[in-house]
């Protein structure tokens, strides 16, 4: 469309809605010649408020609305690929845009737990197929022929016997008046031409030239920037503050009390609002704030460890049990009992937390990066006391999230300040805020007991997890939920097994962090399996294979990774290797770490990961997600870890909360298994086995068993 | 307050602002170019990397006063139509995940390639150490810099 040329509303047709709802909405979209953008942030731009997946328009062509926010996990490409497959359109020629946040139309749009593909594969296929069938019906009506005599290919309906053709664009208006079929016929997977390929992702160019819009990049006319001072001891109560110096900073407009909720705990702050971010930050530095931190200042990492150790004597809750562990343990010829510890970790997405909220009398708008657009919508509706329909969520690309952006807390601060000032407000967190306020990945103590018979066969295993529980952070209930047992592999053929949990409740806020409890428990569990293999004098990979001999998928994975890494080749001097496995989000993963001793130090040479996530929509996405999991897994193993002193976090920024850098990054190879199981998760499963594969390799090389993360690679 | 003149991506700007304000916030909030990112504010992550008179600097710790009268290039000004060899290589090898760190990565890599058209892995590691990527795109960044060198050297 040329600029200035008016688009007639009738030119745009929107097809397809949720199966079962059978609704058609006529849409309007003006995006031709624009780089694909994940969200149309301009309020006046046409199409910003339509709800749908598939749009057809005579000037812009075919547009697919994507209802899954993009944080780097690749669903911006993979979800439309599934629709395009069944719709019979070339993914390269399709525009992709973000759908609005609307639970009624799109269901839950929250991107967590590596669930976008597994939870939407079937549905997106039906959406695409229903659109295609509707277009075929429109063509057959025009031609007065049977639908069955027509087929679709490359955005065109073709009449089989005569070869007559009509394009989707020519059919769109007719199709918009038809009801879509409720049970469209899906393609035979062997005919897939898009699913299983890795087309260039459409968001990539904008991420190399500065065009991609992240939450922090949004601005709204008249907006104030806010920087908030909060108690470093999380639950500290605000006693008083002196804002005279802050108010003297040029550009500062208001100093206001604010608060947010984190898992039921109210957390207070003092916000400085100014017309530039810089002025707000300067004003905040000039604040003098008194906090009452009570006796929380007595907490430290040391005290937490002692508390956990003491708590480990408790029986705890039993999550899973087979056979009778204590009976075999008592009389076993070989027994092992060891403990593993992991620290708190921060998410530290590269884009610091931020949110813009403009709360007006009867409506509210949000601009920013979120994993949870519907949750934000509900929260803002509640907070502003308005109906959800009057809340608009403009969600952008996320500059990383890893679980942190599923929480609404930052938007709560922005909404509170917008309501108090009547202005749109952007709350910007500093990196220091991010690291010191949390919520964090929980720290944990894992106590493992194992028993072998006289032939070295494992006959009993007990794994007890002592930690905080994301789902039970407040109130009096002192039982852990089974969420904290994630990542403990009960598929191993060990006849007597028991998995237990002991809940600790602390004032330190915790939350979901890439792969959640799998990231801590798998380290303990897969280290312990290695210790059992050593005690049984068996090769650790063979030991696992023998304990999983009935498990087809693990067996295939272990064999594939053994072959790829030359596991059975005689080891070279001064090298070591370790293996670990996990199931996460119904995906099975094996990792092998190869390390070498160099000048008295250990260096990580290569990490190989084999991943089985069933039918793969886009193999390159699985690959890069797994590469990312390796880097994050290694970082958590030997670079980063949070410590608590005087009730607060010690690490403040990347200078002492260290991230892996390019010079430390080993070679990474990812093997994506091919099979026809249902699709399962891709974003997290690669992470949990990385740390234990590495520490198992270190044992293999040095004989030193690492049972506490993070460790110092230079000191091994 | 002071009046500061900057050339950003060949355009001249006259800015009235606190000379102590970091260049990052002037570029983002006063000039309105949002491709340069805030990641740490203390020269630890490289997300804010721009070219100041041809050198890669961390704009979060470069005071506006220091940039007075100088030439700045940001990610938006590195090429027309996303045509820089690094941008081409980044697209070809599908480097970005979330993408947030990538402006800074490309700005650092651009200076490396200008100074050293045939970098080794070690040269790359040394030049790119200051740029964090929490998504873990390092192995692809390495490959893409080699690929860009190839494109550049024809
Ligand atoms: S924001 Fe400047 S180096 Fe991190
Ligand atoms: S791509 Fe996300 S931080 Fe680098």
């Amino acid at each position: 469309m040329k600029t200035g040329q008016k688009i007639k509303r009738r030119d745009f047709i929107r097809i397809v809605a949720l199966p079962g709802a059978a609704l058609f909405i006529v849409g309007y979209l003006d995006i031709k010649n624009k780089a694909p953008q994940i969200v149309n942030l301009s309020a006046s731009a046409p199409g910003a408020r339509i709800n749908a997946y598939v749009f057809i328009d005579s000037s812009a062509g075919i547009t697919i609305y994507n209802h899954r926010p993009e944080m780097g996990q690749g669903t911006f490409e993979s979800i439309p690929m599934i629709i395009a497959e069944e719709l019979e359109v070339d993914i390269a020629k399709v525009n992709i845009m973000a759908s609005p946040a609307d639970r009624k139309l799109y269901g839950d749009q929250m991107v967590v737990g590596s669930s976008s593909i597994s939870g939407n594969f079937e549905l997106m296929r039906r959406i695409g197929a229903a659109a295609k069938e509707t277009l075929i019906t429109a063509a057959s009506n025009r031609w007065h022929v049977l639908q069955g005599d027509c087929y679709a290919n490359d955005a065109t309906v073709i009449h089989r016997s005569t070869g007559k053709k009509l394009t989707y664009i020519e059919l769109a208006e007719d199709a918009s008046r038809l009801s879509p079929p409720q049970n469209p016929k899906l393609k035979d997977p062997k005919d897939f031409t898009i699913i299983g390929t890795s087309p260039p992702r459409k968001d990539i160019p904008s991420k190399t030239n500065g065009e991609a819009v992240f939450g922090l990049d949004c601005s709204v006319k008249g907006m104030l920037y806010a920087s908030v001072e909060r108690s470093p001891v999380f639950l500290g109560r605000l006693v008083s503050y002196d804002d005279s110096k802050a108010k003297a900073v040029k550009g500062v407009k208001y100093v206001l009390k604010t608060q947010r909720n984190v898992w039921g705990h109210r957390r207070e702050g003092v916000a400085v609002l100014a017309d530039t971010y810089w002025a707000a930050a300067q004003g905040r530095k000039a604040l003098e704030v008194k906090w009452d931190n009570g006796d929380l200042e007595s907490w430290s990492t040391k005290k937490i460890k002692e508390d956990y150790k003491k708590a480990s004597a408790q029986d705890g809750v039993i999550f899973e049990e087979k056979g009778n562990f204590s009976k075999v343990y008592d009389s076993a010829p070989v027994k092992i009992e060891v403990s593993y510890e992991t620290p708190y970790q921060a998410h530290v997405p590269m884009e610091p937390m931020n949110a813009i909220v403009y709360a007006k009398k009867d409506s509210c708008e949000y601009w920013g990066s979120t994993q949870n657009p519907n949750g934000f919508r509900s929260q803002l509706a509640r907070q502003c006391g308005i109906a959800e329909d009057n809340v608009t969520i403009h969600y952008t690309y996320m500059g990383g999230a890893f679980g942190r952006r599923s929480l609404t807390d930052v938007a709560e601060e922005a909404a509170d300040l917008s309501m108090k000032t009547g202005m749109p407000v952007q709350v910007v967190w500093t990196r220091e805020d991010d690291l010191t306020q949390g919520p964090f990945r929980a720290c944990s103590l894992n106590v493992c007991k194992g028993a072998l018979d006289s032939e070295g066969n494992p006959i009993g295993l007990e794994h007890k997890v002592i930690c905080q529980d994301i789902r039970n952070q407040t109130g009096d209930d002192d039982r852990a939920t089974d969420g904290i047992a994630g990542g403990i592999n009960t598929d191993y053929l060990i006849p007597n097994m028991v998995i237990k949990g002991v809940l600790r409740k602390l004032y330190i806020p915790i939350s979901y962090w890439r792969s959640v409890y799998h990231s801590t428990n798998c380290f303990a569990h897969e280290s312990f399996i290695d210790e059992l293999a050593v005690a049984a004098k068996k090769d650790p990979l063979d030991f696992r294979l023998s304990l999983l001999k009935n498990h087809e998928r693990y067996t295939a994975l272990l064999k594939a990774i053994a072959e790829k890494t030359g596991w059975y080749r005689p080891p070279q001097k001064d090298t070591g290797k370790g293996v670990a496995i996990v199931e996460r989000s119904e995906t099975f993963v094996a990792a092998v770490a190869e390390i070498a001793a160099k000048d008295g130090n250990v260096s990580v040479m290569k990490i190989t990961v084999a991943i089985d996530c069933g039918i793969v929509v886009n193999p390159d996405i699985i690959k890069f997600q797994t590469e990312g999991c390796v880097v994050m897994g290694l970082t958590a193993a030997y670079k980063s870890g949070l410590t608590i002193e005087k009730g607060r976090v010690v690490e403040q920024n990347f200078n002492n909360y260290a991230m892996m850098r390019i010079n430390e990054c080993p070679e990474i190879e990812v093997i994506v298994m091919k099979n026809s199981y249902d699709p399962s998760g891709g974003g997290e499963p690669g992470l949990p086995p990385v740390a234990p594969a590495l520490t198992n390799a270190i044992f293999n090389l040095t004989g030193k068993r690492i049972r506490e993360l993070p460790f110092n690679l230079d000191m091994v | 307050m002071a009046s500061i003149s900057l050339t950003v991506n060949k355009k001249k700007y006259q800015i009235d602002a606190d000379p102590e304000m970091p260049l990052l916030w002037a570029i983002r909030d006063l000039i309105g170019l949002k491709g340069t990112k805030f990641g740490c504010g203390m020269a630890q992550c490289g997300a804010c990397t721009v070219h100041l008179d041809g050198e890669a600097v961390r704009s979060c710790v470069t005071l506006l006063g220091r940039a007075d009268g100088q030439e700045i290039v940001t990610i938006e000004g590195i090429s027309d139509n996303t045509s820089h060899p690094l941008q081409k290589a980044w697209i070809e090898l599908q480097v970005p995940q979330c993408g947030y760190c990538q402006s800074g990565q490309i700005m650092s890599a651009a200076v490396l390639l200008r100074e050293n058209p045939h970098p080794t892995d070690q040269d790359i590691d040394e030049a790119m150490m200051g740029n964090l990527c929490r998504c873990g795109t390092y192995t692809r960044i390495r490959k893409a810099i080699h690929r860009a060198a190839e494109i550049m050297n024809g």
Side-chain angles (χ1 to χ4, degrees), chain A residues 356-627:
Chain A
I356 301 175
V357 173
Y358 193 5
K360 290 177 248 180
K361 195 164 154 283
D362 305 311
S363 67
C364 178
E365 281 183 84
Y366 166 87
W367 292 261
S369 36
T370 167
Q371 286 175 266
N372 180 11
N374 318 116
F376 276 48
R377 200 171 185 221
S378 306
Q379 165 60 30
L380 292 172
R382 263 197 309 275
Q383 211 177 334
C384 300
I386 57 177
E388 224 175 277
D389 285 346
N390 298 330
V391 179
T392 308
I393 302 290
H394 307 272
Y395 60 92
T396 63
Y397 288 121
M398 288 172 264
F402 316 112
R404 177 63 183 92
R405 293 193 147 91
S406 58
L407 266 75
T408 58
D409 59 323
V410 184
E412 282 174 48
E413 287 178 335
D416 178 55
L417 295 169
S418 179
M419 284 193 286
K420 284 174 178 159
T421 57
M423 313 279 279
V425 174
Q426 182 175 46
V427 171
V428 179
W429 283 39
T430 61
R431 180 59 62 198
E432 289 80 4
D433 294 336
D434 182 35
L435 269 158
T436 56
Q437 291 296 316
F440 309 111
R441 196 276 310 269
C443 64
S444 72
L445 171 65
N446 288 248
V447 182
C448 298
K449 290 183 191 172
L452 303 177
D453 68 14
S454 48
E455 267 105 71
N457 299 308
I459 48 173
L461 188 149
E462 179 184 276
H463 189 143
K464 193 190 274 184
V465 181
I466 299 103
C467 69
Q468 288 171 267
D469 185 344
I470 299 169
R471 291 192 262 172
N472 186 0
Q473 297 191 52
T474 51
D476 301 328
D477 185 353
D478 62 358
R479 281 163 311 161
T481 69
D482 64 356
I484 73 164
I488 298 174
N489 188 345
T490 52
D491 284 325
Y492 283 126
L493 292 172
I494 299 173
N496 304 285
M497 223 192 221
V498 59
I499 316 297
K500 296 175 172 176
V502 177
L503 176 69
R504 303 315 298 147
K505 271 192 177 159
L506 285 180
Y507 71 105
I508 297 171
I510 56 160
S511 192
Y512 302 97
W513 185 95
R514 198 173 195 173
S515 83
V516 203
Y517 289 99
H518 284 62
S519 70
T520 48
N521 293 342
C522 175
F523 163 65
H525 198 71
E526 282 296 297
S527 296
F528 191 61
I529 294 292
D530 229 64
E531 302 210 37
L532 291 179
V534 171
K537 301 193 175 58
K538 304 229 170 86
D539 173 87
L541 197 145
D542 286 341
F543 186 70
R544 287 175 172 82
L545 270 175
S546 70
L547 291 177
L548 293 161
K549 57 175 181 269
N550 303 332
H551 200 292
E552 196 190 320
R553 297 176 80 174
Y554 272 133
T555 301
L557 268 180
L558 283 165
K559 287 189 169 157
I561 205 161
E563 190 185 322
K564 197 65 167 189
T565 59
W567 182 269
Y568 298 108
R569 272 202 306 262
Q572 281 176 297
K573 197 172 164 299
D574 293 335
T575 66
K577 60 194 174 212
V579 65
I581 60 174
V582 79
E583 179 195 344
R584 163 76 186 162
S585 306
E586 278 134 53
T587 286
F588 297 87
V589 185
V592 165
E594 293 170 75
I595 61 172
K598 261 193 202 158
D599 323 317
N601 280 336
V602 166
S603 88
V604 184
M605 308 304 291
K606 184 172 178 185
I607 306 288
T608 306
V609 181
I611 176 165
D612 167 4
C613 54
I615 294 174
V616 176
V617 173
N618 181 319
D620 193 53
I621 292 179
I622 300 301
K623 278 196 181 148
F624 76 67
Q625 279 298 294
T626 306
E627 290 159 11

Side-chain angles (χ1 to χ4, degrees), chain A residues 350 431 653-654, chain B residues 24-25 37-49 57-61 130-132:
Chain A
M350 284 308 296
R431 180 59 62 198
N653 204 317
F654 294 127
Chain B
L24 169 67
W25 299 109
K37 304 302 186 196
F38 168 52
C40 69
M42 61 177 300
Q44 290 291 319
C45 76
C48 64
T49 307
V57 298
R58 312 294 182 221
S59 64
C60 68
V61 292
N131 289 81
L132 285 178

Side-chain angles (χ1 to χ4, degrees), chain B residues 102-122:
Chain B
Q102 302 293 344
S103 301
Q105 305 279 4
I106 291 172
M107 296 310 281
S108 291
V111 173
L112 166 68
L113 285 188
R114 191 193 63 210
E115 301 295 315
N116 179 355
H118 303 281
T120 62
D121 273 353
Q122 205 188 336

Side-chain angles (χ1 to χ4, degrees), chain A residues 138-186:
Chain A
S140 67
N141 290 349
R142 277 238 212 136
W143 292 326
H144 304 289
V145 300
L146 293 173
Q147 284 172 45
D149 293 340
C150 307
Y151 68 99
N153 183 36
D154 194 16
T156 305
V157 180
I158 301 148
H159 183 230
R160 216 177 295 273
S161 56
T162 62
K164 276 191 292 207
K165 287 180 182 176
L166 284 168
T167 66
Y168 283 6
I169 288 172
E170 291 166 321
L171 293 165
E173 189 172 343
D174 284 8
S176 76
R177 295 196 210 95
L178 300 170
S179 293
Q182 293 304 299
N183 283 305
K185 191 168 173 315
L186 302 183

